[in-house]
Amino acid sequence: MKKSHLFTLVTTLALAGAALAQDTIPLPAVLPKPNFIGTPSDAPAGANVEKPLGRPRPIPQVPKGTVNLALHKKVTASKAPYEGSLDLITDGVKDAKQGSAVEMYPKLQWVQIDLEAASELSYVLVWHFHEQPVVFRDVIVQVSNDPKFVEGVTTLYNNDADNSAGLGIGKDREYFETSEGRLIAANKVKARYVRLYSRGSTYTDPLNRYTEVEVYGLPSK
Amino acid sequence: MRRFASAGLALFLLGLALLLRLPQLGNRPFHADEAVHAVKFRELWEHGRYRYDPNEFHGPTIYYAALPTVAASGHKTFVALQEADLRLVIALVGAALVPLFLLLRKPLGTSAVLWAGLFAALSPALVFYSRYFIQEVFLVVFTLVFLASVTLKKPIAAGIAAGLMVATKETAVLTFFAAGVAWLLVSRKRPTLGRSFWLALGVAITVACVALYGCYRPLPTEARPNPLQYFQAYTPWLHRAAGEELHKNPWFDYLERFFWHRREGVPLWSESLILLLGIFGALKPPTTAERPFVRFLALFTLFLTVGYSLIPYKTPWCALNFLMPLTLLAGVGVAGLIERAAKLPAKALITGLILLASAHLGWLSYQTSFVHFASNKNPYVFSPTVPDVVKLKTRIEDLAKVHPDHEKLVIKVLSKDGYYWPLPWYLRRFENIGYWTQLPADPDAPLVLASPEFDEALTPKLKDHIMTGFFALRPDASYELFVKMNLWEPYLKQRGPVEDEE
């Protein structure tokens, strides 16, 4: 047996053991079909794109009872969409096909999901647009209990290295969009609103796009 | 043709050659090899020292030749020098090739050498590599002077030229071999090595030794190389001749590259005019040309073409060695064609058509050197440095302005291999810069420039840094720039907000 296989087996067994002991389950996210195979090796100019993993992302454990709290929840945005409806972001459809992504105007834009109650969050999973391996700029994900995001804001992810969005320098790396989406740890923060920023992408036009956003956590009691 | 008319035409052709060689000499970033030569030049310029290294770098003639042209630029420091300052000497010598063709007017005829001068002035290859701080144009010019001197029976001049060829590039040996075999085949008499030969050889050895080992500020005794080490140069070069991955190309690479290169979105590059006229010239020279010399030139060109094509290690500028004599043969070909045309209208028609085709060569030269100079679809471009390197330089200089140590800040460059050139040229103003080809024990520094291969190992070691982006050196080589947060934050503050792109 190869060393790497042995390592995977041991890790899986350890995680399974831990899951049984701590009453956890694998993250119940269902990934869409990939639209392309592999990722480009050339990073787009000026980007700080991380190296693609080259293998499926490991599935993290989450507390038992964790669900997608964002499904069919209300979405608002910095501006009305250019094309499509904001409902597409939480409609549960995440395949890379015509009409599955809402198109937002260029420059810095945000979308915001109201989870309807403050909940303990495990992960945010976002697919901007995975028809092609594009890189979205200034991806910032924040949570708060304030719908205006003035008070009590927690930043979960920020890859705005040059602070062009004005929300602080982000040390997270840019990444190629794939069918796996971007999985962002929420570290059990309790919040009602999730806001996601972006500033266009390396695609052929400067629009912002969202195919789906899932927010995993424990429903509030 | 009257002497003053031919001199006038040669001057006109020189002007044409300069017109294509001198403008915008800095439009293209330094190729890695140019940067290496610039750094070698620095040692000679700043300290008066040169040490021949048989393993790399070739000979010093371009460094010595650049001294006066760089002095004329008025710059006092290496940091102030620009690419154009160093390329200037190559452009001037490349243009000088055109009037130097007149040295062969006796064996080839004035008309032939003037036509050859026109082709040399306009040839995309001869123009493009005359705008490159590398040795090839010098080798080609010294070769011409050598051939002319031998033909004109000037042993001292031949010796000087041969010595300079040796001191320019080790591949001079291929030229000598091709010339020797061609001469043996053409010579009707049994060859003898007379007094002239030994005189030329003595002069050549003296000139080569002085150029290679006699820098004007002598090296310390322990650093003085053994003159015989020149021959050691052939060990690594023979090894390379077998072909490294980067330089390994099929035998027909030069022929395809220079005579029929079709790619989408760019012009069809072809110097076939010179090739076809050259073949015609070799077969049907005019009566004004000396047949034995034309035969010699044809064989010499053929041997060099075959020789360079058979060596798997190929860099496109090496082709100048056979393109130069081919250009001479093309001139002979035109003279032969015109002579064969019976009547004046036919002569005028041939002249007009060839001038028209030459104008196309000139247009291709313009496309090569001024439009597609950084495109991989341009056959003359080889492993080009991309303009992104200038952005990287500017970014690092701007960061240094914010750092308290300014240009003395520490920069660590971690490269997966030794092909990090031309970075030492573009980052020449930074004194505290180091280059590694393996991950050092302590990679920490305000600025770390690293090959993506180091990313995984480096990221956890640079917790106080931010990876600010990729910068390309060449289409296949990028580097990641890590900046310490306590430098990145003031830099962003000083830079101000970034405008949104539409």
Side-chain angles (χ1 to χ4, degrees), chain A residues 80-85 101-105 129 205 207-210:
Chain A
Y82 169 76
E83 186 74 53
S85 156
V102 60
E103 294 177 344
M104 312 283 294
Y105 279 91
F129 181 68
D205 62 45
L207 298 177
N208 288 282
R209 289 180 171 80
Y210 286 88

Side-chain angles (χ1 to χ4, degrees), chain B residues 336-482:
Chain B
L337 265 177
I338 293 174
E339 189 186 78
R340 277 171 178 77
K343 292 180 181 170
L344 195 62
K347 289 183 194 291
L349 181 68
I350 290 168
T351 304
L353 285 175
I354 289 171
L355 284 177
L356 206 62
S358 303
H360 178 255
L361 270 186
W363 177 78
L364 278 181
S365 273
Y366 175 76
Q367 294 292 320
T368 308
S369 294
F370 299 96
V371 181
H372 301 284
F373 53 82
S375 167
N376 258 340
K377 293 179 179 177
N378 177 343
Y380 302 87
V381 166
F382 177 70
S383 192
T385 302
V386 295
D388 213 25
V389 77
V390 181
K391 283 189 199 161
L392 172 65
K393 168 185 168 275
T394 309
R395 169 69 63 86
I396 291 178
E397 285 175 358
D398 288 347
L399 283 159
K401 281 177 195 158
V402 182
H403 194 275
D405 293 339
H406 300 299
E407 289 174 6
K408 289 191 166 61
L409 92 165
V410 175
I411 303 173
K412 293 186 177 176
V413 180
L414 318 181
S415 179
K416 64 170 179 167
D417 51 36
Y419 291 103
Y420 51 74
W421 293 87
L423 282 178
W425 162 260
Y426 285 101
L427 303 178
R428 62 193 181 281
R429 66 173 61 241
F430 299 100
E431 299 166 20
N432 297 317
I433 186 166
Y435 295 85
W436 285 262
T437 52
Q438 286 184 328
L439 195 66
D442 177 18
D444 189 31
L447 294 181
V448 179
L449 196 59
S451 299
E453 285 76 6
F454 291 116
D455 185 288
E456 209 172 334
L458 199 55
T459 304
K461 293 190 174 202
L462 298 179
K463 286 206 162 57
D464 298 332
H465 289 68
I466 181 167
M467 204 293 255
T468 61
F470 283 91
F471 291 89
L473 285 197
R474 287 176 290 282
D476 59 347
S478 289
Y479 285 79
E480 299 180 359
L481 179 62
F482 291 84

Side-chain angles (χ1 to χ4, degrees), chain B residues 127-246:
Chain B
V127 170
F128 193 71
Y129 300 121
S130 293
R131 301 165 56 84
Y132 233 94
F133 191 56
I134 53 171
Q135 282 87 354
E136 219 66 38
V137 163
F138 270 57
L139 178 60
V140 162
V141 168
F142 293 144
T143 300
L144 173 71
V145 176
F146 170 71
L147 295 179
S149 305
V150 171
T151 311
L152 299 171
K153 298 189 169 48
K154 306 277 186 197
I156 293 176
I160 292 171
L164 289 172
M165 286 167 69
V166 169
T168 298
K169 204 175 171 191
E170 295 81 357
T171 46
V173 73
L174 292 175
T175 310
F176 293 133
F177 183 75
V181 176
W183 177 65
L184 281 175
L185 290 174
V186 168
S187 182
R188 287 180 182 175
K189 290 183 284 186
R190 187 165 162 265
T192 49
L193 301 179
R195 192 171 156 265
S196 294
F197 171 82
W198 295 112
L199 176 63
L201 185 65
V203 171
I205 291 170
T206 308
V207 168
C209 284
V210 168
L212 287 168
Y213 302 108
C215 52
Y216 54 85
R217 184 174 293 173
L219 294 165
T221 315
E222 62 276 12
R224 279 179 208 161
N226 175 355
L228 292 177
Q229 76 168 183
Y230 180 83
F231 299 101
Q232 290 171 15
Y234 290 101
T235 313
W237 287 113
L238 279 174
H239 174 70
R240 269 172 220 154
E244 298 161 339
E245 214 43 57
L246 178 66

